[in-house]
Amino acid sequence: MRVLGIETSCDDTGVALYDEDIGLIGHRLASQGPLHAEYGGVVPELASRDHVRALLPLVSDLLLAAGPGRVDGIAYTQGPGLAGALLVGAAFAHGLAYAWGIPAIGIHHLEGHLLAPMLDPDPPSFPFVALLVSGGHTLLMDVEAVGCYRKLGESLDDAAGEAFDKTAQLLGLGYPGGPAIERLAATGRPGRYRFTRPLLERGLDFSFSGLKTQVLMAVRAGLAEPQAHADLAQAFQEAVVDVLTHKAMRALLTAGRSRLVVAGGVSANTALRAALNTAVTKEGGSVHYPRLEFCTDNGAMIAYAGAWRLRGAPHTLGFTARPRWPLEDLYSLP
Ligand code: KG4
Ligand code: ZN
C-alpha cells in the first residue's frame, strides 16, 4: 500500500508519500507562518487561499522526486481544524482520487499526530499514554491500539500551544509563538517571575488561560529591559512544562502504563522534552517523540495513518470536513 497524504487543517500545507514496505518515500511542507505573522494568529480565509496555491506544486514536486510508481490511495485531514482549510484538502484529495480511480479517506488530525512517532526506525509499541500538545488541543489519551482511544484529560480552556502563541504576541514576538518563546526563554534567568500552576494537584485536566492573564499583568506592570522579557518567557515556559510533566506522570500512573508518547507542535520544545525525559525515566518508563519536523503539522503523519485506515475502506465520492471531531469517535481497526 502506497499512500499520498495531504494535510491542510490549519496553516501548513503538508504532503507526503508513504509506502508500507519501504517507509516514508518523501514529504514536502509549505508553511504559512509569515502570511499570518502580522495578525498574531492564523487568519482562516488567508489560510484556505494559500492551501489552494500550494497544494498542486507540492504534490507534483513530491511525485516527480519519487519517480514512477503507483499510488494506491489518498489520505487527507478531514478534521478537526479550520473548515475552509479542511475543505481545500478534502476537495483536492477527492478530485485526484477520482481521476486516478483510487480510494480517498479522511483522517483525524490528532490520530495523525499521535501516530507520528511510529514513523521512527524504533517506534513505541502499544499500549501507551499519549500527551497531545498542539495549537488547538491539549489532551491526554490512553491508547490501546490504532483507533482505541480513551480520553484521560484535556484543557478546559486554552491549548498549551495557544498559550505559547498568546504570550509571544504579548511580548511582540509574532506567530507562531512557541519556537520564539523557547529561544527567548533560553536566555532567561529563573526566579524573577513566578506564575501559578493551575489544577496542578487535581485530576488530569488542564487550564492555561489564567497563565495568559498573569503574563498580561506582568507586561502591563512594565518590562523595563530586554532581560525582563527573557526572564518572563523563562517563567512562563517553566510553568507550562511543569504542569504538562506533572499531568503526564499522573496519567501514566492512572492508566497503569509505562510508555509515554508526546506529539503535536509543543512536543518540539526542548525544555519540555528534558523535563519529561527526566521524570519518566526516573519511574522506569520510556518516552517517545516524533522526529522534530513531524512534531508540527505535516503530511507524513496523515499518509501513515492513511495506510492503516485505507485497508478495506469503502471507495466513496462524498466528503465532508469535520471542524469539530472528538478523537474517541474513531472506530477501532480489526
Ligand atoms: O501541531 P501543530 O503544528 O498545529 C496544530 O495542530 O495546532 O502545533 C502548532 C503549535 C503552535 O501553537 C506553536 O506555537 C507550537 O505548536 N509550537 C511550540 C514549539 N514549536 C511549535 N511550542 C513550544 N515550543 C516549540 N518549540
Ligand atoms: Zn496539528
Side-chain angles (χ1 to χ4, degrees), residues 15 24 50 59 85 104 125 152 167-168 185 196 202 229 233 241 330 332:
V15 303
L24 187 66
D50 205 62
V59 169
S125 41
L152 299 169
T167 297
T196 54
R202 216 159 14 104
H229 289 241
V241 166
L330 287 182
S332 54

Side-chain angles (χ1 to χ4, degrees), residues 84-152:
L86 291 168
L87 281 169
V88 173
F92 182 88
H94 276 275
L96 209 53
Y98 179 67
W100 290 348
I102 58 174
I105 192 163
I107 297 296
H108 196 295
H109 181 74
L110 296 179
E111 176 166 74
H113 272 305
L114 80 80
L115 295 180
M118 299 293 180
L119 287 159
D120 245 36
D122 183 21
S125 41
F126 295 104
F128 53 75
V129 163
L131 171 65
L132 291 172
V133 269
S134 71
H137 296 86
T138 299
L139 271 177
L140 278 162
M141 306 290 301
D142 187 35
V143 179
E144 284 268 356
V146 177
C148 290
Y149 309 128
R150 184 169 63 90
K151 187 164 69 191
L152 299 169

Side-chain angles (χ1 to χ4, degrees), residues 164 167 171 181 184-197 211 214-215 218 227-243:
F164 270 95
T167 297
L171 292 176
I181 293 276
L184 189 59
T187 61
R189 296 169 308 195
R192 180 166 181 174
Y193 297 96
R194 168 86 193 166
F195 297 125
T196 54
R197 278 88 166 129
L211 195 52
Q214 290 178 49
V215 172
Q227 187 61 46
H229 289 241
D231 295 346
L232 190 141
Q234 188 281 334
F236 162 81
Q237 182 174 269
E238 189 185 83
V240 175
V241 166
D242 215 16
V243 171

Side-chain angles (χ1 to χ4, degrees), residues 213-286:
T213 312
Q214 290 178 49
V215 172
L216 177 66
M217 305 298 274
V219 170
R220 283 206 180 136
L223 300 175
E225 8 74 67
Q227 187 61 46
H229 289 241
D231 295 346
L232 190 141
Q234 188 281 334
F236 162 81
Q237 182 174 269
E238 189 185 83
V240 175
V241 166
D242 215 16
V243 171
L244 292 175
T245 307
H246 253 80
K247 300 276 174 169
M249 295 312 294
R250 189 174 300 145
L252 285 173
L253 199 67
T254 307
R257 309 288 187 212
S258 62
R259 278 179 293 271
L260 177 72
V261 160
V262 194
V266 183
S267 69
N269 188 278
T270 314
L272 176 64
R273 288 184 173 214
L276 286 172
N277 290 347
T278 306
V280 175
T281 47
K282 195 169 147 217
E283 295 301 320
S286 62

